[in-house]
Structure formats: C-alpha cells, structure tokens
Amino acid sequence: MMMMMMMVMMMMMMMMMITEIEMEFTKYPESVTAPVGDEVTFECAVRVPGERLTWRWRADDDQEWRDWNNVDGINDKDGVTTRLVVQVRENTPTSLYQCMAWYGSIILVSIPARLTIAKIDLSRNSPERRVILAPLHNSVVLHCKEPRSEPPAKLSWWKETTKGSRKQLDTSHGVLVINNATVEDSGTYGCTAINDISEQTADLPERTYLKVQHEGHGGFRFLETEDYVGTIDKDRVLTMPVMPDNSLRLWCGAVGTPQPRVVWSKGTDTNLPGHTNSLVIENFTGEHEGVYSCSANALRRSWKVVALQPPHWEGSANSVNASEGLSARISCGVPHGQPAPVVHWMFNAELVKTGKGIKATDSDMYIERVEKRHAGVVQCFACNSLGCAYDAAMLTVVPVQISDQDYSAETPKIHIPSQSPKRHNKKNPRKHKAVLIPPSRPNVTRLSDKSVMVSWSHDNHGLPIQFFKVQYREVTNSSNIQWHTESTDIPTHIHSFEIDGLYPDKYYKFRIAAVYSNQDNKLGRSSGKFFLQRGGTQSPRAPTLDKATSLSPHSIQLNWTWSAHGGVEAEGFYVYYRAVSWAGAYEKVTAAGHQRSMVMAHLAPDTAYELKIQAYTAQAPSDFSAILIAKTQRALNAPSTSTEAPAKEEESAPGTLVTAGGAAGAAALLLILAGTFLLCRRAKRPHADKEKGPGPEGGTNNGYLPAKVPITITANPMHGEGGDSSVEMSFLHNNNCGNNANSDDTLPHSRKNGPSRQYV
C-alpha cells in the first residue's frame, strides 16, 4: 500500500533537482551525547524560507521510522531558522529529532539527529571470576569486557594488594600488558570504567586472577578467548571495528615455553611492522581493511578489520518526468557506509510503504502506474550507527486527459423539474436514444493565489451537448458546503475555464456538467481535493508565439516555440483568444505539452482576433507570450463584418496589437463599451461568501440546477485514493495573477510582489 506521502506531492517546483531549485537545508540538527540534567539545543536552517518550520521526535528503539511525535520549536521570523530545546532527564530515551520545512502541502525533512544519554550501563557485565595461568617470562596481555557506555568508557586496571587496598596500574588503551611476567605479578585484577561526559565511574563486576608459574616446554596457547579480544559477528567471525580517524591496535596474547615468536600478516603480506605482542596502524582507513592474523608457532588468530564509515550516496538523485498512467523509477544512487546503512524512502515526511504498485530497493523506487498525486519530492535516507545521509529527487507527473465512461453513484443525472426530457421516438429508438455521456473528470492547475484553470475532455459521442457548466465547492473543513455553479454557459468546443475569486490555502473540488439537446443534464466525476496554495514556485519559461495564420472564415492556425532551457518542464499550454473588438474576457483552450501548433476553430468570419499563449505546470503558469493578431477570412458571398483589422493580417510582429488607425478606432470603441464592460464585470460570479442568489445555489435562468452530490479527490502521493487527507500537490508561482480586484484579466499577469522566490 502506498502511504500518502504527503505534502511531495511532492515538493514542487515540479520539478528540478534539489540543487537546482535551492530547496535544501543549510544546517542540520547534529547528533549529541549529553548527561542527565543538561539542556540540548538542536538547530536547523533552510535556504528558501518555509511557510512553517516544525520539529518531531521518536524513540530510537528500532529501525522503522514510524510513530513520530510532533514537538514545538522556536522559529525565527525570517522563516529560515528554527531551534528545539530539550531537557535531558533520567527517563529520557535515546531519541531521533528531525526538523521539517513546509512549503504549502510539501514537506522536506532533515537528516535526523540522535540524542544519546551519557551514562555507563553494566547490565551486560556479569560478576565473572576467571583464572588465567601464564608461564614465566612471557608477555601477558589481558583485556576487560567493555561495558555499554555513551560515549565509550575509558578503562583502567588496578590490582588488589595484600592489605585489601588497590594499586592503580598504568594501562594505556584499556589493555593490561605485563612484559616478562614473574611470580610477583600473580594476584587479583579488576577494571574501572570512566564516562568523561557524565563523569560517572563504575567498577566492572568481573575479576581476573592471574597466576604466573613455571611450565614445561611446549603447550603454546592464547591466554584469552576470542570474545575478549574482539567482536564476534553473526557469522561467528572475529571482527575488529575501527572508528573514523582512529588507529588499529591488535594484541596477539600467545604464550608458551619458551615464549613464542609472533608474526603479523594481512592476507598473504607477512611484512607488517608488528611488535612481538601488538600491531598498530595509525589513522586507519578503508584502504587498510582486510583480514589481519598473528601466528605463533602452530597457533593462528585472525581478525576481520573494518573501518567504520558514516553513510554517503555515490551518485546523485535525478529528476524524473513521468506521464500519468505509465511507470516511473526514482534513483538515488548507491548507498555506502560501514556498517551497511539501512535505506528509508520518504515522501512528504511519510515513510513509503512498498507493496501495491510500489517497489523499492536500496537504490531505486519503482511506481508501476503513476498518478498525479505522486508528483512531488521523494527523499531517500541511508542510516547506520554513525549517522544518516539523504538525497532527494523531483518527480513530475504530466497529466493526460481522461475520457471517463464509468461513473459511480456520486455522479447521477441532475433532474430539472421545470423541464422534463423530450419524448423519444419509439418507432426508431436507436436513432433517438438519449445516451448522456458526461464530461471527463477535470484537471485542475493553479493560475494565481485566487484562481485556477479547470480543463476537461469529451469524446463527442452520445446525445449532442448544448453547453457545459463548471461547479466547485470548498472542502477544507466541511463536506456540507453546497456546490457553486458558474453562471457562464461554456460552448461545446471549449474545454477549459478559469475560476476566479477563490481563497488561498483552501481545499476545493471541481466538476463539469453537460446540458444536452433534450434539456437533460449530467455531471462528470469530480476532481480530487485541490489545495490552492498561497505564494508559488518556479514557473516555466514563457513560450514564443511565432505565427498566426488564417486558414478559413472560421479558423486560425497558431505556431509557437518553447524550450525548458534547464528550467521547469511544461505540462501543457493555455491558448487565449478574443475578438479585437471585444473588451471582455478571453476564451481559453488547452494544448498538450508536446504540441507546438494548434488550429483555432469556431471563430467568426472576417474578424480580427488577439491571440496569446502561456505554458503551465500544476503549480504555476508562465508569463504570457507577446500578443499576435490575425483575421479570419471573409465568408464567400458575404460582406465584411469586421469592425477593425490590423495592418498585417497574418503575422503581426510580437507585441503589436493594432495599427495606428486601428488603435484610434479601438479607443473610441472602448469608450462606448466601457459601460457594457462594467456591467459584465458586475455580472461575474460573486465570491463564495456571496453566492446566494435567486433559486438554489444561485441557479441560472437556463434551468440548470446543480446536483448536491459529494465527490472526492486524493492528495497524498503514496496513499490510496479515497482519504479526506488526500491532497493534489501544487507548487505555486508567486506572480499573484489576477489578485487585484481592479485588474483586467485581458492583461498579461505581472509579478506584483517583485521577483518571485523559489519554493520547493
């Protein structure tokens, strides 16, 4: 099952690599070991200010990153830096702490820091008393069994005297070495552990009784068992781990009469600079790893020596641009570290659960069938006992238009009591059968803080459609809010419509209704929950409208060029057009991301049209292209009906709106139309809080009544599709298109707040 990866989906500029979009942490919380009674401060900072910076923690009791607990931190007003203060108490467990940067519905999580309590734990040490017999004049090497301690305890040896007191011994590196041992060295020995941070001192319960005596020739042996001189791994192999920047120290511990000669080797190399009893390699690194052995006569003891390393990724994560319905693979490179790191895949601060449709290895995550809710940032963490390393990949999902013919009970027909359906001709039922094929589930993209573009498709089969209607409702906190119906009757050849007057940081659902030739109507499936994010993310580059060519009295062909040039990949294009003589809103049509031309049909003959285009992603539209003007051809045997025309019919230079004569005519015409335009503006749909009009839901005089049927949309990319917590991720551009109530929607959108910031 896919966990609703949350607010990834996903981070989004949608999408570039983290390094490209600069959505990254400039400071991580650092792991620390602290004593009881201390106060620990974790700090975290991001490059791009976040909407929120929060913290969470969990006990470090297993390797599954679940059951996180939210905790309040202290945030600076700049939205860049946050701190968390933790009081270390007696019952404070070893825990992981992680900061989270929120960018709308996307969450980027930091590398977790481990808080470890400084103390000595003797629970693994038993009150063992061992007896060691050593031959005279040999080098005696004795080890203590190290207790659990954070940080590792320093060990020192002492010897009991005849008066019951202790004599402290000079034992470097926690190992007791007695050269040329004699009978006087016999006695009882013990170890003391010291924790430098907590200043705790503890005597280990083990006692070692050493008896040095004369022995006959032969009898070569090791004084201590393997569990005293190294670590026994799960394969029963004697290992010696070496911390970063530390030295390797091995003691052989072979004795006999006469004292045996010790030879050190690494594999087949027997020329190691080892002393009789010890081998030391300073600044041990991965290059020194291998199997080290000491040999004494017929004796041989070997250690598998490994250099401990914190995790790191070889290679970097790559952005992925996937098409809806197809598969996708997100790669984070190859994780390295010693011990071998455990890899966690996360989406919007949620652990990704593999299973239905999702598979993950230590290097790659596979999604068998990509959906729009999967768009976002995927983070891969590699962690071992020394720390964590992470990388992140941007997953962009290019949506496809869906023609839905399988509709659930949430989309019944809308009954119109005032107009009953026309009777069908029973003599020829096949010819007149009323097959009501509804529009597809709409695709929703953000245009500004208060507006979205809704687009849909229809296969033109079934009973003819007279016009479309768009409905929407807010679903942030309640599912009982009535659907609002836009007053505009949308022509059947138009499958895109802009909804304005919404509120940012709210969830909305949208659906399309079709009104058919028999006056009946039917709803398409509703969209998923769409979060209208305040602010924005990086938008794609604006396309260049190269040419507008008249093809007939009713059509004009547009040609444009567009390239990402290392920026955000466009998911599609919006084409805007209107007659030059009309000062109202533009009509909009949608082109797929791969298109570079389109034929605009259903135009009026002998009429000049303004045309412009913008690229879009789910999060933000581009700036508009320059406007071109083209005029349709005159209808055959018909007088000209054009009120104005540009000097050049087909290829006005970019930016050219009208000729000098046309401009004068337009100015006069605009004065005449000013009153009409203001009335049109007033006739526009009121805001959600003013939408009570005559009839249910402010119904229009065409007799179309919206159905009060709940509909669903999903939001978190790795969850199933039906939860209320679902969110359709949208990274938003900060150009505040149409935020000014007095602005004309015919003008190119401008960045009213200055240069936009890149949010991820």
Side-chain angles (χ1 to χ4, degrees):
M1 209 161 147
M2 301 194 301
M3 284 207 60
M4 262 186 120
M5 277 173 118
M6 91 131 337
M7 303 178 216
V8 157
M9 213 254 146
M10 271 177 182
M11 294 209 106
M12 303 195 140
M13 308 187 34
M14 284 182 114
M15 280 161 167
M16 296 165 52
M17 291 178 59
I18 293 286
T19 53
E20 293 173 340
I21 59 179
E22 296 186 349
M23 186 211 53
E24 59 184 359
F25 291 97
T26 57
K27 180 179 240 183
Y28 299 103
E30 296 182 1
S31 297
V32 64
T33 300
V36 173
D38 206 353
E39 184 179 271
V40 175
T41 300
F42 294 108
E43 294 189 12
C44 190
V46 292
R47 185 176 302 281
V48 177
E51 174 188 324
R52 285 188 291 154
L53 297 175
T54 61
W55 290 87
R56 66 182 186 179
W57 74 276
R58 62 175 298 276
D60 187 24
D61 50 7
D62 58 49
Q63 292 187 341
E64 292 295 328
W65 284 13
R66 307 185 189 280
D67 302 325
W68 289 92
N69 305 283
N70 295 324
V71 61
D72 293 331
I74 304 170
N75 297 342
D76 291 349
K77 294 182 179 179
D78 57 8
V80 170
T81 306
T82 180
R83 293 178 301 281
L84 177 67
V85 179
V86 179
Q87 300 289 338
V88 182
R89 296 183 171 85
E90 194 70 42
N91 59 348
T92 300
T94 298
S95 307
L96 298 178
Y97 291 84
Q98 196 172 48
C99 69
M100 303 184 292
W102 297 67
Y103 298 92
S105 51
I106 302 307
I107 307 176
L108 181 68
V109 294
S110 73
I111 290 175
R114 179 179 285 105
L115 172 60
T116 307
I117 311 305
K119 61 183 178 180
I120 297 174
D121 181 2
L122 301 179
S123 60
R124 290 192 308 182
N125 296 73
S126 60
E128 176 185 356
R129 180 178 177 87
R130 60 174 179 163
V131 177
I132 300 292
L133 301 178
L136 285 169
H137 309 302
N138 272 246
S139 293
V140 174
V141 180
L142 298 177
H143 296 76
C144 290
K145 280 192 174 180
E146 295 188 22
R148 293 177 181 174
S149 177
E150 288 292 343
K154 291 183 178 179
L155 300 177
S156 62
W157 283 80
W158 47 265
K159 181 182 180 184
E160 290 184 356
T161 65
T162 55
K163 297 181 181 180
S165 59
R166 296 179 178 180
K167 177 184 178 183
Q168 203 67 33
L169 304 176
D170 182 12
T171 51
S172 59
H173 313 297
V175 178
L176 176 61
V177 180
I178 304 174
N179 293 311
N180 193 23
T182 64
V183 175
E184 286 75 17
D185 294 313
S186 298
T188 300
Y189 293 82
C191 289
T192 298
I194 302 173
N195 188 302
D196 284 342
I197 293 182
S198 67
E199 299 181 350
Q200 179 184 2
T201 299
D203 288 337
L204 304 190
E206 296 95 340
R207 295 292 183 267
T208 300
Y209 178 73
L210 174 64
K211 184 176 182 180
V212 181
Q213 61 187 10
H214 175 75
E215 295 181 358
H217 289 275
F220 298 107
R221 66 187 187 277
F222 291 111
L223 276 182
E224 295 179 304
T225 57
E226 288 187 342
D227 57 333
Y228 273 87
V229 298
T231 302
I232 307 297
D233 65 13
K234 61 182 180 180
D235 297 322
R236 304 305 300 169
V237 175
L238 180 61
T239 63
M240 177 60 71
V242 182
M243 293 292 289
D245 302 322
N246 277 15
S247 301
L248 170 66
R249 286 182 170 82
L250 297 176
W251 283 268
C252 191
V255 297
T257 304
Q259 180 172 338
R261 177 176 177 273
V262 174
V263 176
W264 290 93
S265 62
K266 177 188 177 185
T268 58
D269 183 8
T270 58
N271 296 319
L272 298 184
H275 299 291
T276 302
N277 295 297
S278 63
L279 172 69
V280 179
I281 299 179
E282 303 287 351
N283 300 318
F284 192 86
T285 66
E287 297 177 355
H288 301 117
E289 287 185 332
V291 177
Y292 290 78
S293 303
C294 76
S295 301
N297 292 11
L299 294 177
R300 185 179 181 88
R301 173 172 281 173
S302 299
W303 292 261
K304 179 183 176 182
V305 184
V306 295
L308 299 182
Q309 298 177 1
H312 68 277
W313 289 95
E314 180 182 341
S316 59
N318 294 321
S319 297
V320 176
N321 191 6
S323 296
E324 184 180 5
L326 300 182
S327 62
R329 183 181 76 172
I330 301 95
S331 177
C332 273
V334 179
H336 293 279
Q338 185 62 252
V342 176
V343 174
H344 305 276
W345 291 87
M346 303 199 77
F347 194 95
N348 280 348
E350 293 283 352
L351 186 68
V352 177
K353 286 188 66 176
T354 57
K356 266 190 186 177
I358 294 186
K359 299 177 182 178
T361 67
D362 283 353
S363 300
D364 303 279
M365 185 175 76
Y366 302 86
I367 303 177
E368 293 178 1
R369 184 178 177 84
V370 174
E371 302 175 29
K372 288 191 290 291
R373 61 194 179 93
H374 294 143
V377 172
V378 178
Q379 289 180 265
C380 46
F381 288 82
C383 298
N384 65 13
S385 57
L386 276 67
C388 294
Y390 93 91
D391 207 342
M394 310 296 287
L395 174 59
T396 304
V397 178
V398 179
V400 297
Q401 296 291 341
I402 302 174
S403 180
D404 292 312
Q405 298 190 21
D406 182 17
Y407 299 96
S408 64
E410 72 170 6
T411 58
K413 292 193 301 181
I414 303 173
H415 298 289
I416 306 177
S418 61
Q419 299 186 34
S420 60
K422 294 181 180 179
R423 295 176 180 266
H424 303 308
N425 189 341
K426 296 183 179 179
K427 293 182 180 180
N428 193 351
R430 179 175 297 180
K431 181 177 180 181
H432 297 283
K433 186 178 181 181
V435 180
L436 306 183
I437 298 180
S440 70
R441 187 179 191 177
N443 182 54
V444 184
T445 60
R446 175 188 176 277
L447 291 179
S448 72
D449 283 357
K450 297 192 291 183
S451 64
V452 299
M453 184 72 80
V454 182
S455 58
W456 63 95
S457 64
H458 191 271
D459 57 12
N460 294 323
H461 294 160
L463 201 65
I465 294 175
Q466 290 185 318
F467 54 85
F468 295 107
K469 287 281 190 177
V470 177
Q471 291 184 320
Y472 69 91
R473 66 172 179 168
E474 183 193 335
V475 292
T476 305
N477 299 315
S478 173
S479 60
N480 298 322
I481 298 177
Q482 298 297 312
W483 288 89
H484 175 81
T485 304
E486 280 289 318
S487 61
T488 304
D489 294 345
I490 305 169
T492 56
H493 65 279
I494 300 296
H495 292 166
S496 299
F497 191 79
E498 180 178 349
I499 304 293
D500 199 359
L502 305 177
Y503 295 95
D505 299 330
K506 302 286 186 183
Y507 290 97
Y508 290 90
K509 285 186 177 182
F510 303 84
R511 66 187 184 191
I512 311 300
V515 178
Y516 300 87
S517 58
N518 67 347
Q519 302 304 315
D520 205 348
N521 42 72
K522 192 171 185 179
L523 288 167
R525 294 175 59 196
S526 69
S527 68
K529 275 186 183 177
F530 184 87
F531 183 72
L532 183 54
Q533 170 66 38
R534 185 190 301 274
T537 60
Q538 182 175 333
S539 61
R541 299 168 61 95
T544 300
L545 191 51
D546 299 319
K547 192 175 184 180
T549 305
S550 177
L551 299 180
S552 72
H554 301 287
S555 62
I556 293 174
Q557 178 171 317
L558 297 183
N559 295 86
W560 65 88
T561 55
W562 183 87
S563 176
H565 292 303
V568 178
E569 188 72 26
E571 298 176 13
F573 301 92
Y574 293 131
V575 178
Y576 294 71
Y577 68 96
R578 69 177 178 185
V580 171
S581 59
W582 167 243
Y586 283 85
E587 298 284 357
K588 297 102 176 173
V589 293
T590 304
H594 61 84
Q595 286 185 245
R596 296 296 182 269
S597 66
M598 170 179 277
V599 175
M600 312 295 298
H602 306 282
L603 304 179
D606 196 25
T607 303
Y609 284 89
E610 294 179 359
L611 305 120
K612 60 184 179 180
I613 188 171
Q614 65 181 167
Y616 72 87
T617 67
Q619 296 74 36
S622 71
D623 292 334
F624 283 99
S625 69
I627 294 176
L628 289 187
I629 295 179
K631 184 180 178 183
T632 55
Q633 299 174 10
R634 293 181 59 183
L636 295 178
N637 302 322
S640 174
T641 58
S642 174
T643 57
E644 69 173 312
K648 292 185 180 180
E649 181 175 301
E650 293 184 353
E651 300 183 30
S652 300
T656 303
L657 299 179
V658 290
T659 61
L669 181 61
L670 286 175
L671 289 175
I672 297 173
L673 295 177
T676 303
F677 177 66
L678 290 175
L679 291 176
C680 291
R681 297 288 286 181
R682 283 174 129 184
K684 275 195 170 185
R685 171 194 46 74
H687 288 251
D689 59 349
K690 300 179 181 179
E691 61 184 47
K692 293 183 180 179
E697 282 189 356
T700 61
N701 18 352
N702 59 23
Y704 175 81
L705 299 178
K708 301 173 182 177
V709 181
I711 305 171
T712 58
I713 241 194
T714 41
N716 186 342
M718 300 295 197
H719 252 144
E721 207 175 3
D724 289 339
S725 58
S726 50
V727 180
E728 189 162 296
M729 304 303 305
S730 295
F731 274 92
L732 316 172
H733 198 282
N734 190 24
N735 56 10
N736 291 330
C737 302
N739 286 353
N740 189 334
N742 298 321
S743 63
D744 189 338
D745 66 357
T746 67
L747 297 177
H749 296 183
S750 61
R751 293 187 177 91
K752 298 181 176 64
N753 292 337
S756 63
R757 293 184 298 191
Q758 292 181 345
Y759 287 87
V760 175

